[in-house]
Amino acid sequence: MTPSSQSLSERLAAIRARMDATARTSGRDPASVTLTAVSKTQPPEAIDAALAAGLRVFGENRVQEAQGRWTDRRPALSDLELRLIGPLQSNKAEDAVALFDVIETLDREKLVGALGAAQKKLGLRPRVLIQVNTGEEPQKAGVSPRDVDALIASARAADLDVEGVMAIPPAEEEPTLHFALLAKIAARNGLRVLSMGMSSDYEAAIRLGATHVRLGTALFGERNTTPEPSSA
Ligand SMILES: *Cc1c(COP(=O)(O)O)cnc(C)c1O
């Protein structure tokens, strides 16, 4: 899959080549697809290698882990973009608004209120994506496709800067139907950003319109296997 003998910059070059080729063959501008480096659980050396290779857009799953990792690095990196891609608890909304440029996991009314209050208090306005549970999996985060339009309207009414949608398709299913559904939801709500596609399916996601693919394993190699807590 991803030979560990390859360096991160070699893996990155190969991924970029595949991303660009896929975009072109789908009639899309390669510059319209951003690689989000998913750095969760990676050691500091891996982050430094990613930065040295020129990556500046990072996805983190947990607010606290991201704070520990980025608070000191950030001042030297004016073009860094941090994206929260893991579940967010309302009581961490303020920390998330303070740290992240983009919050990809807004999936319920309660969080609309918490993020609205946090951005008002801090005078910051992160961009927001709505996470959609396209497979309607009971254990998975994300708003149901039935309720997503109402949540988008409510987030907009609360002055949140909603710019797109995000999804993680069910692991055992063919992802393209889920990507197509997410693209349809974005289009009918006038949203531009589509965060979909991970290491195993990013080419399919790009074919269906992804503007952001979130890559962990393909870029960094296998993560260590420490189980992650179920929420940020
Ligand atoms: C871990 C994670 C990824 C990256 O997964 P890979 O298969 O390692 O590329 C992408 N998105 C989210 C939300 C994740 O939690």
Side-chain angles (χ1 to χ4, degrees):
M1 199 179 147
T2 49
S4 54
S5 56
Q6 273 188 320
S7 70
L8 183 137
S9 63
E10 285 168 330
R11 287 192 293 259
L12 175 59
I15 291 167
R16 278 252 156 85
R18 285 175 66 176
M19 286 176 61
D20 290 3
T22 306
R24 281 201 194 87
T25 55
S26 324
R28 303 186 56 202
D29 178 359
S32 67
V33 189
T34 299
L35 192 174
T36 299
V38 177
S39 41
K40 65 184 175 201
T41 77
Q42 296 297 336
E45 309 81 67
I47 308 296
D48 291 333
L51 288 167
L55 288 164
R56 287 297 180 272
V57 180
F58 288 84
E60 290 282 354
N61 282 62
R62 298 176 56 207
V63 176
Q64 251 165 329
E65 184 182 16
Q67 282 173 327
R69 168 174 294 172
W70 292 108
T71 304
D72 289 346
R73 286 189 171 89
R74 172 151 240 183
L77 297 164
S78 58
D79 52 353
L80 183 70
E81 181 175 290
L82 294 181
R83 309 177 68 95
L84 179 64
I85 62 170
L88 177 61
Q89 291 171 358
S90 313
N91 64 5
K92 300 258 177 66
E94 218 173 291
D95 288 340
V97 167
L99 181 66
F100 289 97
D101 303 286
V102 183
I103 294 171
E104 298 203 7
T105 51
L106 173 54
D107 65 354
R108 59 197 188 276
E109 283 296 339
K110 190 176 178 199
L111 208 43
V112 169
L115 289 172
Q119 71 174 21
K120 198 174 247 177
K121 177 168 172 193
L122 298 175
L124 294 166
R125 196 161 175 260
R127 286 120 68 201
V128 169
L129 309 190
I130 307 291
Q131 182 176 357
V132 187
N133 186 355
T134 56
E136 308 216 46
E137 296 171 277
Q139 81 289 2
K140 196 175 257 177
V143 62
S144 136
R146 271 175 280 119
D147 299 329
V148 64
D149 292 4
L151 185 63
I152 291 168
S154 147
R156 284 172 164 158
D159 194 37
L160 300 184
D161 184 5
V162 182
E163 67 168 10
V165 284
M166 175 273 221
I168 309 167
E172 310 305 330
E173 287 181 29
E174 159 62 32
T176 53
L177 293 175
H178 297 274
F179 296 153
L181 173 59
L182 194 69
K184 195 169 129 193
I185 290 167
R188 74 171 182 240
N189 285 284
L191 295 170
R192 185 179 58 79
V193 171
L194 275 176
S195 173
M196 58 188 198
M198 315 201 304
S199 291
S200 58
D201 54 20
Y202 65 94
E203 289 161 295
I206 291 169
R207 279 186 222 109
L208 288 161
T211 62
H212 292 72
V213 292
R214 307 179 307 266
L215 302 184
T217 320
L219 184 63
F220 290 104
E222 295 297 331
R223 281 181 286 279
N224 74 35
T225 50
T226 312
E228 281 187 83
S230 58
S231 74

